[in-house]
Amino acid sequence: MSELVRIEHANVRRDGKLILEDASISFSDGEHIAIVGANGAGKSTLIDVIARQVYPLARDEYKNFFLGEERWMRSEFEKLVGVVSERNAQFLNTSYSVREIVCSGLYASLGFDFHHQIRPEDWLKADEELKSVGLYEKRDRVMNTLSSGEKRRIMLARVNINKPRLLLLDEASSALDFPSRASLRRLISTYTEESTVIMVTHELSEIIPEIKRVILMKNGRIVMDGKKEDVLTEDNLSALFMEKVYVSEHNGIYNAYC
C-alpha cells in the first residue's frame, strides 16, 4: 500500500503546555486505524494536525505530508479529507434542512453562507448519501428536529458526499446509546471500501472490525502502535489508564471495563 499521510515531529502547545509532543506517524492508503487514550491524551489534537486544522510549532524538523505533498490548496484538501467531530458540528442544531446540510459538504461550508450555485446534480448526490444512511425520507426535515443518532448519520453523509480519500472520525459515537452506537458502527464499516478511516475513541466498542491497527496515546505522546490484537490487551490498557482494565472480544468487537 502506498503512503497516504506522514507526520514528522509535530509539537503543539496550548496555554504554555505541550499537548502533543514530538508526534511522528505515517498511515498507508487503504489502512484503517484507531487512536485510543483517555481524555486529554492528545488524540484529537493529532487528528487536527492531520486535518490541518491545527498547526504545530514552526520547527525545521516538522513535516506534514498528504499523498506525498506538503502544500495543498485548502479547497482541494477538504475534498480529499473528511472530518467528523464535535468541533466542526455547528450545523447540527440549525434550522437548515437535512438535504441542505448534506449538500453543503460539497463546498466545505457550514450551512449556506457561501457564494455557490447549487446544481441539480448536487441535490441528487445529497439524496444518494441520504439513502445510504437511511434518512432519505427525512431529507426535508429541519436539522434541529432530529435525534442525536440521526444527526451523526447526517454528519457522515455530509463528509462522504465528496467520497474522501481519508475519513477522520473524532469520537463520532459519543453520547449515543449502545443500539445507536452499533448502528453507526455498521455504517462506518461500509465507508472502509472507499476511504481510509482513522478513528479516535476511548470507547473500544466503537472500533469497527475493519480496523487492524491501534495507536495508544498518553500525555500528548504516542506510547504504542501495532496490531489491534497485540495492543488491546488488559496489561496495555491498564497501564494506559492507570487502573485495572478488563478486555473482552466478540466477533471482532472489543469492550473494556474496570
Side-chain angles (χ1 to χ4, degrees), residues 201-219:
T201 186
H202 56 256
E203 173 57 63
L204 299 194
S205 65
E206 292 182 1
I207 299 175
I208 58 177
E210 290 80 3
I211 284 175
K212 306 301 181 186
R213 176 183 172 190
V214 174
I215 294 165
L216 301 186
M217 293 191 68
K218 184 176 183 179
N219 298 328

Side-chain angles (χ1 to χ4, degrees), residues 24-41:
S24 294
I25 198 77
S26 65
F27 306 105
S28 297
D29 200 9
E31 186 178 27
H32 308 301
I33 304 101
I35 304 174
V36 176
N39 292 333

Side-chain angles (χ1 to χ4, degrees), residues 2-67:
S2 60
E3 184 178 80
L4 182 64
V5 174
R6 176 156 51 95
I7 305 292
E8 296 180 4
H9 305 293
N11 292 272
V12 176
R13 189 182 299 274
R14 187 174 297 154
D15 297 327
K17 179 183 178 182
L18 273 178
I19 58 174
L20 186 67
E21 187 174 354
D22 197 34
S24 294
I25 198 77
S26 65
F27 306 105
S28 297
D29 200 9
E31 186 178 27
H32 308 301
I33 304 101
I35 304 174
V36 176
N39 292 333
K43 309 184 302 296
S44 295
T45 302
L46 179 58
I47 286 290
D48 286 343
V49 169
I50 295 169
R52 305 189 180 208
Q53 295 179 351
V54 164
Y55 289 90
L57 298 175
R59 295 176 175 173
D60 290 342
E61 62 267 29
Y62 167 64
K63 304 291 182 184
N64 187 343
F65 292 94
F66 180 73
L67 289 172

Side-chain angles (χ1 to χ4, degrees), residues 70-212:
E70 282 196 89
R71 297 183 181 277
W72 283 86
M73 289 184 62
R74 172 58 60 179
S75 59
E76 292 303 310
F77 184 79
E78 290 182 347
K79 290 178 182 178
L80 294 169
V81 180
V83 183
V84 174
S85 74
E86 288 300 310
R87 294 180 306 288
N88 70 351
Q90 298 97 316
F91 53 83
L92 288 182
N93 293 308
T94 72
S95 59
Y96 288 113
S97 74
V98 166
R99 199 172 182 231
E100 287 173 321
I101 290 300
V102 174
C103 198
S104 74
L106 290 166
Y107 302 96
S109 167
L110 298 178
F112 274 57
D113 53 343
F114 55 82
H115 304 288
H116 294 92
Q117 181 66 44
I118 305 301
R119 302 164 300 176
E121 56 264 38
D122 296 338
W123 296 117
L124 292 176
K125 287 180 181 179
D127 289 345
E128 287 303 309
E129 290 305 316
L130 287 169
K131 290 175 184 177
S132 74
V133 301
L135 290 174
Y136 177 72
E137 298 302 321
K138 297 188 177 183
R139 62 192 181 281
D140 295 321
R141 287 274 297 274
V142 174
M143 282 296 298
N144 59 21
T145 67
L146 301 180
S147 69
S148 295
E150 289 169 336
K151 289 175 181 177
R152 300 301 171 86
R153 287 174 173 268
I154 296 304
M155 292 171 71
L156 286 167
R158 180 181 178 273
V159 298
N160 197 57
I161 197 170
N162 284 314
K163 305 303 178 190
R165 195 76 171 266
L166 173 62
L167 184 58
L168 302 172
L169 306 176
D170 188 358
E171 306 286 2
S173 302
S174 63
L176 297 183
D177 58 35
F178 69 86
S180 296
R181 193 161 60 235
S183 177
L184 197 68
R185 185 178 62 229
R186 289 190 292 270
L187 175 60
I188 292 169
S189 286
T190 67
Y191 294 148
T192 61
E193 297 177 7
E194 295 183 328
S195 301
T196 294
V197 173
I198 301 178
M199 172 184 290
V200 161
T201 186
H202 56 256
E203 173 57 63
L204 299 194
S205 65
E206 292 182 1
I207 299 175
I208 58 177
E210 290 80 3
I211 284 175
K212 306 301 181 186

